Amino acid sequence: MSQPVLSARSLAKTYLSGDRRIGVLSDASLEVLAGESVSIRGESGSGKSTLLNLLSGLDAPDAGAIEWGGAPPSPARRATFLGMVFQSFYLIPELNAAENVLMAARMIRAPGRTERARSAELLARVGLAERATHLPSQLSGGERQRVAVARALMNSPQLLLADEPTGNLDEHTGDAVIALLLDLCRETSTALVLVTHNAAHAQKTNRQLFLREGVLSHA
Ligand SMILES: Nc1ncnc2c1ncn2[C@@H]1O[C@H](COP(=O)(O)OP(=O)(O)O)[C@@H](O)[C@H]1O
Ligand SMILES: [Mg+2]
């Protein structure tokens, strides 16, 4: 069997709040295979964003181990290994859509003609070919999230982490963004971890998990 793209074993995480310690994750384990899609649901405050922060290597667990394709996460690998999409898009307001997509390439090197062509191609793929020169403020929420999806895929990552990507979108727009995200990941064999509150969206992934009391289990 192929090496998992992502492996997390027995992750534990607590936060210190004043002099109180808040236990968020106690024993969370997860394996995601190449090209596989997995959804994670859980109550608000159950630790879904905390878990994604650990999986993305942006924060460190108190205990447990994470591997990206068999090796520990590292800042040097992040830009090529991982793409991320967030509820609030996080586009740079001063940059137009094409430049926002290119920001991902800039994490690796100064973009040239190849990167510009890829950015244009990705914007076309997410249905925004005509919007490349528009600023985020000139785009709707759904369009902004499409730009963010294009940016997340710019460096052809092996894994895409999405934290409630439809949380700020109306139902119809959210459905379209999820369909696009799943189609793109399938086309490019990118593994996907999708955190969502939406049961119908969760059902569309290969596997469904639930985060409860610090532990991940089958939904
Ligand atoms: N940086 C932090 N410092 C202290 N507590 C935090 C921090 N981040 C999250 N928490 C707490 O950890 C718990 C889980 O938060 P979070 O991972 O954001 O949950 P979810 O994404 O499932 O809504 C919550 O109780 C939250 O208040
Ligand atoms: Mg969250």
Side-chain angles (χ1 to χ4, degrees), residues 40-122:
I40 299 176
R41 292 168 67 205
E43 300 285 315
S44 185
S46 60
K48 303 180 298 299
S49 295
T50 298
L51 175 65
L52 286 199
N53 283 342
L54 300 183
L55 299 180
S56 65
L58 295 172
D59 197 2
D62 300 335
I66 296 167
E67 287 182 350
W68 290 349
S74 73
R77 286 174 68 209
R78 183 177 298 111
T80 51
F81 183 81
L82 190 73
M84 296 186 79
V85 179
F86 301 93
Q87 177 171 351
S88 34
F89 323 133
Y90 292 139
L91 300 180
I92 298 175
E94 294 82 4
L95 299 183
N96 69 31
E99 289 161 342
N100 265 287
V101 176
L102 270 176
M103 274 309 289
R106 266 182 221 288
M107 305 298 283
I108 304 172
R109 69 178 80 85
R113 192 180 303 169
T114 312
E115 287 80 12
R116 287 179 198 289
R118 175 158 174 78
S119 154
E121 189 185 299
L122 276 165

Side-chain angles (χ1 to χ4, degrees), residues 11-13 23-29 46-47 211-216:
L11 299 182
K13 183 73 182 175
V24 181
L25 302 176
S26 56
D27 187 3
S29 296
S46 60
L211 181 61
R212 193 185 288 116
E213 293 176 5
V215 177
L216 275 171

